[in-house]
Amino acid sequence: MTGDITTDVRKAATWSVVVSVLMIGAGVLAIGLPLVAGVAVATVLGWMLVVGGILHVALAWRSHTARSVVWEILLGLAYGAIGFYILARPLASLASLTLIVAAYLLVEAVIEFTMWLQVRGAPGTVWLLFDGLVTLVLACMIWSTWPSSATWVIGTLVGISIFFSGISRLVLSLAVRRVTA
């Protein structure tokens, strides 16, 4: 019984290694072709909004009041309209998404600075300040180079995320394989 479980875990870890290597490759590809990756992200987001809109409209009948039905339908139509706009104009949408990322990073930096101010005497809080400074610099870099930054920001950030997810998954999968050997 234990041997079967070990074999199954080892097989799963092997597949996880394969997926990890593919993720690393996809991350490198996205970093190398950030515009293509950014448009792909915008397209996926557009389809998610369209499907979300369809679901809101389809499930509006589950609401208990007429007012709720109307709001669900309006929300569904808004989701669908924004989704179709993103699908029709992925580059313009990419520019908007880039501004949203810059605004998000700015808000995150303010929150990091606020947290640092509240706990600044505790050990290790210098990392909160450092994180806030790096995040603020990134937000300013993106904001100051917009709209040209729209061609690389989203794809590069997604690529970096996929790359490091692949690395961490690979390290974990190889550790599992060593333990089961």
Side-chain angles (χ1 to χ4, degrees), residues 2-179:
T2 304
D4 292 339
I5 293 172
T6 302
T7 302
D8 289 344
V9 169
R10 194 157 171 75
K11 284 181 186 177
T14 301
W15 277 109
S16 187
V17 167
V18 170
V19 170
S20 301
V21 170
L22 291 173
M23 287 175 70
I24 292 167
V28 169
L29 193 60
I31 293 167
L33 300 168
L35 181 59
V36 173
V39 169
V41 167
T43 302
V44 168
L45 178 63
W47 279 112
M48 288 171 59
L49 287 169
V50 167
V51 169
I54 292 168
L55 291 174
H56 272 286
V57 170
L59 296 176
W61 62 274
R62 302 271 306 171
S63 297
H64 298 293
T65 65
R67 184 177 181 182
S68 297
V69 171
V70 169
W71 278 112
E72 283 292 329
I73 290 172
L74 289 175
L75 188 60
L77 292 175
Y79 270 52
I82 293 168
F84 280 122
Y85 178 82
I86 289 173
L87 292 172
R89 301 178 186 276
L91 291 177
S93 301
L94 202 51
S96 300
L97 289 173
T98 302
L99 274 181
I100 291 169
V101 167
Y104 165 78
L105 291 172
L106 182 63
V107 169
E108 182 183 348
V110 169
I111 291 170
E112 294 288 343
F113 290 137
T114 303
M115 287 179 10
W116 173 76
L117 284 172
Q118 291 177 354
V119 296
R120 65 179 170 258
T125 56
V126 69
W127 289 107
L128 283 174
L129 179 61
F130 180 73
D131 185 21
L133 288 171
V134 169
T135 305
L136 180 63
V137 168
L138 284 172
C140 291
M141 285 173 51
I142 293 168
W143 194 278
S144 67
T145 60
W146 188 85
S148 66
S149 60
T151 61
W152 62 268
V153 167
I154 302 295
T156 302
L157 292 176
V158 168
I160 290 169
S161 176
I162 293 171
F163 177 79
F164 281 104
S165 291
I167 293 287
S168 62
R169 182 183 183 116
L170 179 63
V171 170
L172 182 61
S173 300
L174 292 174
V176 168
R177 286 182 53 114
R178 275 192 301 273
V179 169

